[in-house]
Amino acid sequence: MSDELTPGGEPGRDPEERLPARRPPVAPPAPAERFSAPSSTHQTGGLTPARSGQIVRQSGSARWISFLGVTIVALFVIAYYFYETGLPFGLTQPRLEAQASVQQVTSVEEGYNLFQANCARCHGAAGQGGIGPVLNDQAKLFAHLSPTYLKNVLTVGGRYVCGNPNSLMPVWADTNGGPLNYIQIHDLIAFLRAPNTETYVVRNPSLNEPVIGADGKVQTFKGWVDPNFKPAPSATPFPACWSGNTAGGGSPSASGGPSAAPLPSGATIDQLTAQNVSFDVKDLSAPADQAFGIDFKQMDAGVGGHNVQIKDSSGKILFDGEVLNDPGEVTYQVPALPAGTYTFICKIHPIPNMTGTLTVK
């Protein structure tokens, strides 16, 4: 075989067999429109005056709508800001403060029901004292019965007060085995520290609806703390330790104790019975300017006791009978009273069912 190059420059091959091989010519691509829409759509020239005016009006409307939307958002932000912080010069109350006031009222009303259910039997329905000490005394409320002090007593019981492990004051906080959780403890303290300048609604503990009294009106109550009270400069701090079986408020002779003068022969003796937390009679009578007696029968157990207390029209206590904590009977020796109309109540349960009228004539 000859090594001579073929005229095509490659040995042993014809020109048609040499690379690169010939390819058939490629047809040029068919022309295509850049956009699918017809060309008339993209023409900008030749706008009519009506079409130009319409475009201008549409653009102006869009700007006006944008301005209106921004204005509404701005006004909303401003209104919400003053809703949260209150209007200047105290014209409105900030939202958080208003909500705190509402929650405080709710807490006091819840605390009232807790007090009546758990504390009134010892401390009296109005905090006037009984088996336990007085709670509504302004001198005590001023500094002694502070929220911290009350919380400690409710948490660990009466031993916190006098160090007496046998104190009648039980533990109330459930953290120490008591029945009340921390929210109920807070509500109870809120009630004990509520101001007497506010009026609160008595609510049904189960339904949380206002309680309607016999007169068809919603029953209300006021707090005990007088915000304007200030002790005398010479006053001494109230003692932290209290012990005893009565709340005070009367002298020995006014309470029917051993030093009371004996009843004269033939003295009037009224009959009065306390049962089911109610007096059996609501009207008593006695002669003017003569000592008389009240034969008092206490029939209830486990309610904190009952007694008879006599007040004049101004609310001054004229007689404060011994509290009978358990069922029993006592004859109170009431000193002579001038002619007039008086009120007798049970100081442990000063409710309508245990309130009556004493007529002296």
Side-chain angles (χ1 to χ4, degrees):
M1 178 180 294
S2 173
D3 292 333
E4 296 180 358
L5 295 175
T6 61
E10 291 188 14
R13 292 191 179 184
D14 294 331
E16 292 80 7
E17 298 176 349
R18 298 172 192 154
L19 293 175
R22 294 181 180 180
R23 293 178 175 83
V26 178
E33 292 289 342
R34 183 178 178 126
F35 300 102
S36 59
S39 58
S40 60
T41 305
H42 308 288
Q43 293 178 355
T44 57
L47 287 175
T48 64
R51 175 60 178 160
S52 299
Q54 183 180 11
I55 293 175
V56 172
R57 287 191 299 272
Q58 290 175 344
S59 177
S61 299
R63 288 194 295 271
W64 171 249
I65 292 174
S66 299
F67 171 76
L68 186 61
V70 171
T71 302
I72 291 175
V73 172
L75 291 176
F76 173 79
V77 171
I78 294 172
Y80 185 77
Y81 172 80
F82 286 115
Y83 168 70
E84 286 286 343
T85 62
L87 290 175
F89 311 109
L91 296 177
T92 60
Q93 189 178 21
R95 183 184 67 85
L96 292 180
E97 291 184 9
Q99 185 61 30
S101 299
V102 172
Q103 292 178 357
Q104 179 68 10
V105 169
T106 301
S107 183
V108 171
E109 293 175 349
E110 292 285 349
Y112 171 84
N113 288 332
L114 289 169
F115 183 87
Q116 297 301 324
N118 301 284
C119 312
R121 58 186 177 182
C122 291
H123 295 282
Q128 76 277 14
I131 299 174
V134 173
L135 298 178
N136 62 3
D137 182 82
Q138 295 302 322
K140 297 180 70 174
L141 291 169
F142 180 76
H144 174 62
L145 297 179
S146 66
T148 301
Y149 178 86
L150 291 170
K151 182 179 179 180
N152 290 337
V153 173
L154 293 170
T155 300
V156 303
R159 61 183 177 178
Y160 175 81
V161 180
C162 297
N164 179 13
N166 298 320
S167 171
L168 295 178
M169 176 66 178
V171 172
W172 291 100
D174 60 359
T175 53
N176 283 341
L180 303 182
N181 59 39
Y182 74 98
I183 296 179
Q184 292 171 315
I185 294 292
H186 174 270
D187 292 343
L188 187 54
I189 295 173
F191 165 72
L192 294 172
R193 299 292 310 170
N196 61 9
T197 55
E198 300 289 336
T199 301
Y200 304 91
V201 176
V202 178
R203 297 185 179 274
N204 185 294
S206 301
L207 305 176
N208 199 35
E209 294 292 335
V211 176
I212 307 300
D215 56 358
K217 298 181 180 179
V218 174
Q219 294 186 9
T220 59
F221 66 93
K222 290 182 177 292
W224 297 342
V225 178
D226 182 0
N228 300 317
F229 174 81
K230 292 183 179 180
S234 60
T236 57
F238 203 94
C241 181
W242 181 95
S243 62
N245 294 323
T246 61
S251 63
S253 61
S255 61
S259 60
L263 290 175
S265 176
T268 299
I269 299 180
D270 292 323
Q271 303 293 321
L272 182 64
T273 300
Q275 188 172 16
N276 298 324
V277 195
S278 178
F279 286 145
D280 64 334
V281 295
K282 299 299 179 63
D283 294 290
L284 298 177
S285 61
D289 303 319
Q290 295 182 27
F292 64 96
I294 299 178
D295 187 7
F296 179 62
K297 296 180 180 179
Q298 207 282 79
M299 307 295 287
D300 289 335
V303 298
H306 297 305
N307 84 324
V308 176
Q309 190 178 79
I310 299 175
K311 299 180 179 181
D312 62 14
S313 57
S314 67
K316 180 182 179 181
I317 299 174
L318 304 177
F319 174 83
D320 192 7
E322 175 190 359
V323 176
L324 298 184
N325 298 321
D326 299 313
E329 183 176 358
V330 63
T331 299
Y332 293 131
Q333 301 173 20
V334 183
L337 298 175
T341 301
Y342 303 86
T343 299
F344 68 89
I345 66 170
C346 169
K347 73 176 183 181
I348 308 301
H349 304 91
I351 58 177
N353 285 346
M354 304 205 76
T355 303
T357 301
L358 169 64
T359 303
V360 178
K361 58 182 180 178

